[in-house]
Amino acid sequence: MIMQRLRAETRAWHNALEATPFNLELLSRTLPLGRYVGQLRAYRIILGALETGLAGSDDPTVTAVWRSDLAKVPLLEQDLEFFDAVSDDVTAVTVAAQFAALISDRITAAPAAALGFLYVMEGSTMGGLELTAHVRATFGLADGRGLAYYNSGDRQRWAGFAARMNDVVIDAPVQQTVLGAADTGYRAIADTLAALSRPDREESMPGE
């Protein structure tokens, strides 16, 4: 099944991303706010390109998997509105823009590639569930403000996504397209987090 293959063949990427300075600082609650907001801005660019491609696709494999409840752009926009006064390093935004352009090009050539990218990004929200408490404590967030994206992981929704993937991503060439896109997606996320791991200035919460 494609989900088993994705888990097995991207396991090294999971381990690598967990060991990034960005993730380790988040877990140790020492991550500067500007880097957290930088991640949200970068992901807004990436998911903007991906979700536009998914929603506009007429490829039967893509339409069989994609559901509007998987969309995360509105949640990122909600968080970014809350953090509107916070600046961040532009490097990660540049890397994200390059990834967004790659997504658009890749899914134009091979629509099913969108599902590999979606696996990466949807999986990241599941991982975010384990990090939400650290984000809340580090930045003093209350009432879910600034946490809409990190709070968006849902095990039932993930199970539905996984079931649909297994049902329709069956043909060997399509599986290879999805696997290749997932590998590319993880590499691009690693580059984005690396850009967010460079030393930068501490930022204050809005209104402080």
Side-chain angles (χ1 to χ4, degrees):
M1 291 186 175
I2 187 60
M3 293 298 285
Q4 291 176 332
R5 291 194 65 189
L6 282 163
R7 281 192 296 273
E9 296 184 31
T10 64
R11 191 177 307 279
W13 279 120
H14 283 274
N15 295 337
L17 293 178
E18 287 177 358
T20 59
F22 180 92
N23 194 65
L24 294 175
E25 288 185 26
L26 188 53
L27 288 170
S28 65
R29 303 185 179 183
T30 59
L31 187 76
L33 179 60
R35 295 190 208 171
Y36 172 66
V37 176
Q39 184 194 36
L40 298 178
R41 289 204 171 107
Y43 281 19
R44 168 61 183 84
I45 293 168
I46 294 165
L47 283 166
L50 177 57
E51 291 177 8
T52 296
L54 286 161
S57 180
D58 58 5
D59 180 83
T61 303
V62 173
T63 59
V65 173
W66 172 248
R67 297 287 186 276
S68 60
D69 67 350
L70 294 171
K72 303 298 186 302
V73 167
L75 303 176
L76 286 161
E77 290 178 342
Q78 180 180 326
D79 287 340
L80 290 170
E81 182 179 359
F82 176 70
F83 290 119
D84 184 59
V86 178
S87 3
D88 59 82
D89 196 296
V90 299
T91 307
V93 170
T94 301
V95 174
Q98 293 170 347
F99 183 24
L102 184 151
I103 287 171
S104 297
D105 290 345
R106 184 71 66 84
I107 65 179
T108 296
L115 299 179
F117 297 129
L118 179 60
Y119 172 82
V120 174
M121 300 309 296
E122 184 65 17
S124 75
T125 63
M126 295 302 296
L129 285 175
E130 300 178 6
L131 299 172
T132 301
H134 297 284
V135 176
R136 183 185 297 111
T138 301
F139 306 123
L141 301 175
D143 302 323
R145 293 180 301 168
L147 278 169
Y149 177 74
Y150 266 71
N151 267 334
S152 66
D154 182 282
R155 289 179 176 81
Q156 184 174 356
R157 188 181 62 229
W158 172 263
F161 164 70
R164 294 192 301 275
M165 287 282 283
N166 284 332
D167 284 344
V168 302
V169 183
I170 298 171
D171 292 345
V174 177
Q175 288 197 356
Q176 286 306 124
T177 295
V178 171
L179 289 162
D183 183 77
T184 299
Y186 276 117
R187 187 179 303 277
I189 291 300
D191 289 344
T192 302
L193 295 182
L196 289 164
S197 297
R198 298 184 302 108
D200 60 3
R201 62 185 181 281
E202 296 281 350
E203 300 288 350
S204 298
M205 286 290 295
E208 289 187 352

